Amino acid sequence: MSIQRRDFLQALGAAGFGTAAMSGLPGCATMGGGAGGKVVVVGGGYGGATAAKHIRMWSDGGVDVTVVEPNPEFISCPVSNLVLGGSKQIADVTVSYDNLTKRHGVKMVKDMATAVDTDKRTVRLAGGGELPYDRLILSPAIDFMWDKVPALDNADAQAKILHAWEAGAQTVALRNQLVAMADGGVYAISIPVAPYRCPPGPYERACQVAWYFKRAKPKSKVLILDGNGDVTSKGPLFKKAWAEEYKGIVEYRPNHVLTDVDVATRTAKFDVQDSVKADVLNVVPPQRAAAIARSAGVVTANDRWCEVDFLTFESVKVKNVHILGDAIQIAMGMPKSGHMANQHAKVCAAAVVALLSGQAPNPTPVLTNTCYSFITDKDVVHVCSVHQYDKEKKTMLPVPGSGGVSSAMSEVEGRYAFNWAKNIWADMLA
Amino acid sequence: MRTIPIVLAATVAALGAVHATAQGSDPNLGRSLAATCATCHGTNGVSVGEVESLAGKPKDEIVRKMQDFKSGAKPATVMHQLAKGYSDEQIQLVAGWFAAQKAK
């Protein structure tokens, strides 16, 4: 796959060529309603890529959309725990951005957004340029709060004690540490106090590492050091897996709030509990909305998250700036998940297209969440929910009686999980 | 507020009589509701995986399945839980929108 090809396409997009070539987009001619204007999207993940594609589709190509994303390809966090287990490769969770440009006329700028001027309505880029916007969509994901784990607040330490909570090089490096570990060793994962990105993710990861150990290193152990008082998602299902499928391999320890680590000895230190030394120590640090949200002045909750109007996902504080995905202050029962970011993005995309054509946004948005966790390489459990807008409380609320979890793990759900990945990646990027 | 006939989900025959043409104030409501299904059933109801496409399926068939998921008449792994999150009016609207899409 060629970077040259991408640069060529970017150049086409920058010249306005991509847009012209895309004017024959399929879609209903009445839907765009004559929307025009410039939208800049910061972040090409589950939220940003979905928003970019759907604004182009739903405005019939009328709205100019630029995505600022430093990574050359999309790498999915969902399913990436299977790379740690060894049943999937990083290439299996990697998808090209090419179709956003080729099929939808989205302009991709491979750069990092460093600052937002919300008065002038411009986004500054690390590479030196500036992008003007009518509406800005920030889907910037999370930054790690290294000040909460002081010994990890430098690049050397972060290369030894991995988080792998952004899929890509860290995922591959953690897999390599697991492969290099001698049989009889201990893998320990530290989980931050909620809220954090992907509530069931750490527990799924424990299962995937245990799946690998059970086959390749049966004397080894998986130790879960949870900052929370109990498993935060799908608790009974995970505990059953640890007691049965991974009996003697996985040990769960709640109420382990990490305060620091010793990098050289791979030791985790806690506020109350005894320190734990591991052969492979995996620390998922506490998180908050990424720095670009701070620059835009939209971090309004606890100095960590961005409060939004759920009809539009516009900041409650700053006009014309919308925030999606993990960076937002969640409503009740709303997980920080890739699926949820995709759903935020489509409510936002519909609202942005409506607002840019002088119409009111949908007063009754709906969000769903379906999150599959792999217990083995094939057996999967889910949690799902449906959230409707509550006019009086001005928030999204789970519908009483809806949603739920699996009765037991199954291979059928494993097939559904891979179906989910194919369809959501296509919904974002195809 | 228009009223929607109460649907007894197991009664397939009764469902054929449901023709509520619910329309909210937003002309794109059906499209936006359908977008909540795309993560598993594909963009515009055209699935690229093994879960079924909904584009071009008859409206009555989609409504009947959703109501059967809702009532528990049709066993499921996930859909019985998700179907309960949508009102009868929303099910009519989204089924009508999918029925009007081109199957691929």
Side-chain angles (χ1 to χ4, degrees):
Chain A
M1 138 81 217
S2 57
I3 297 297
Q4 292 91 332
R5 177 176 173 74
R6 182 187 314 284
D7 289 345
F8 174 63
L9 287 167
Q10 269 177 230
L12 276 182
F17 240 135
T19 316
M22 285 302 124
S23 58
L25 279 178
C28 170
T30 60
M31 283 180 179
K38 274 189 194 304
V39 170
V40 172
V41 180
V42 174
Y46 277 93
T50 304
K53 172 179 158 177
H54 283 78
I55 289 172
R56 292 289 300 165
M57 279 193 338
W58 289 345
S59 71
D60 247 343
V63 176
D64 183 277
V65 179
T66 302
V67 174
V68 182
E69 167 59 53
N71 294 306
E73 292 168 302
F74 168 74
I75 306 180
S76 175
C77 280
V79 194
S80 72
N81 278 330
L82 273 64
V83 177
L84 300 177
S87 64
K88 291 284 174 194
Q89 304 295 310
I90 201 76
D92 298 325
V93 298
T94 303
V95 186
S96 165
Y97 283 121
D98 286 357
N99 283 335
L100 279 183
T101 304
K102 280 196 293 194
R103 294 187 186 162
H104 301 286
V106 172
K107 295 167 186 170
M108 295 298 295
V109 172
K110 190 172 168 298
D111 207 334
M112 185 88 185
T114 54
V116 179
D117 185 327
T118 54
D119 293 327
K120 276 169 49 194
R121 285 196 278 176
T122 54
V123 177
R124 196 180 316 143
L125 303 175
E130 257 191 4
L131 297 171
Y133 66 82
D134 296 308
R135 289 195 172 264
L136 173 64
I137 297 175
L138 299 177
S139 192
I142 42 118
D143 278 351
F144 298 113
M145 300 167 77
W146 295 116
D147 57 314
K148 304 285 185 195
V149 198
L152 288 184
D153 199 2
N154 65 83
D156 277 356
Q158 288 168 28
K160 291 180 182 128
I161 309 291
L162 304 168
H163 55 78
W165 218 240
E166 289 164 339
Q170 282 261 334
T171 315
V172 173
L174 182 55
R175 170 66 186 169
N176 290 342
Q177 287 189 354
L178 292 167
V179 169
M181 190 189 87
D183 190 9
V186 172
Y187 160 82
I189 180 168
S190 161
I191 305 172
V193 174
Y196 57 88
R197 153 185 278 189
C198 190
Y203 312 112
E204 180 194 58
R205 177 170 293 182
C207 289
Q208 287 305 304
V209 174
W211 182 82
Y212 168 61
F213 285 173
K214 190 174 174 178
R215 276 147 193 83
K217 298 177 179 175
K219 287 180 274 182
S220 308
K221 300 277 180 249
V222 172
L223 197 48
I224 305 169
L225 305 165
D226 197 340
N228 300 284
D230 201 351
V231 177
T232 60
S233 178
K234 306 171 191 165
L237 291 163
F238 281 123
K239 285 178 183 171
K240 186 175 158 69
W242 301 333
E244 295 173 8
E245 185 73 22
Y246 301 120
K247 187 174 164 55
I249 300 176
V250 174
E251 184 187 335
Y252 178 73
R253 295 185 190 169
N255 299 311
H256 278 63
V257 179
L258 190 78
T259 53
D260 208 350
V261 298
D262 183 74
V263 177
T265 60
R266 296 176 303 275
T267 300
K269 302 172 186 175
F270 303 96
D271 57 347
V272 177
Q273 316 284 358
D274 290 342
S275 295
V276 173
K277 186 178 175 309
D279 297 287
V280 175
L281 179 59
N282 178 195
V283 170
V284 181
Q287 299 146 29
R288 65 178 170 206
I292 191 70
R294 197 163 304 271
S295 168
V298 294
V299 177
T300 53
N302 268 339
D303 199 28
R304 284 177 77 181
W305 311 112
C306 309
E307 292 165 285
V308 296
D309 173 350
F310 285 106
L311 292 179
T312 57
F313 286 81
E314 190 171 19
S315 165
V316 295
K317 192 170 162 214
V318 182
K319 288 274 156 223
N320 305 309
V321 180
H322 303 250
I323 309 102
L324 309 176
D326 296 343
I328 75 160
Q329 169 72 9
I330 50 176
M332 191 180 91
M334 180 188 283
K336 292 186 181 294
S337 72
H339 187 125
M340 194 45 93
N342 165 281
Q343 300 278 308
H344 295 170
K346 286 182 277 192
V347 171
C348 176
V352 162
V353 171
L355 291 166
L356 288 174
S357 51
Q359 288 159 13
N362 174 11
T364 56
V366 181
L367 307 170
T368 61
N369 187 67
T370 307
C371 166
Y372 294 101
S373 296
F374 282 83
I375 302 295
T376 70
D377 61 331
K378 292 187 187 71
D379 300 285
V380 164
V381 294
H382 80 267
V383 59
C384 71
S385 53
V386 181
H387 308 249
Q388 302 248 8
Y389 188 72
D390 186 297
K391 272 181 199 137
E392 271 150 41
K393 293 182 177 148
K394 291 190 165 55
T395 189
M396 303 296 305
L397 294 178
V399 178
S402 74
V405 297
S406 312
S407 49
M409 70 176 188
S410 71
E411 286 195 16
V412 172
E413 290 208 40
R415 302 209 319 267
Y416 287 178
F418 288 122
N419 169 83
W420 172 90
K422 281 185 194 165
N423 272 306
I424 196 169
W425 294 343
D427 198 45
M428 302 163 61
L429 296 165
Chain B
M1 186 68 201
R2 66 176 56 78
T3 53
I4 300 292
I6 292 170
V7 176
L8 299 172
T11 321
V12 174
L15 284 167
V18 177
H19 291 297
T21 51
Q23 295 255 320
S25 56
D26 177 358
N28 295 316
L29 209 52
R31 179 206 71 189
S32 291
L33 273 172
T36 67
C37 315
T39 46
C40 300
H41 293 279
T43 307
N44 297 331
V46 179
S47 174
V48 296
E50 72 167 83
V51 167
E52 68 174 327
S53 290
L54 299 172
K57 290 271 164 76
K59 179 181 173 183
D60 288 353
E61 181 188 321
I62 299 174
V63 171
R64 189 186 70 236
K65 280 190 182 172
M66 283 294 280
Q67 292 295 350
D68 286 353
F69 284 134
K70 231 175 153 174
S71 71
K74 187 173 167 62
T77 46
V78 183
M79 276 311 298
H80 61 304
Q81 295 165 345
L82 290 174
K84 292 188 182 81
Y86 294 84
S87 69
D88 293 343
E89 187 178 5
Q90 287 173 328
I91 288 172
Q92 290 286 334
L93 200 54
V94 79
W97 191 87
F98 279 127
Q101 304 309 303
K102 264 191 217 143
K104 280 183 188 163

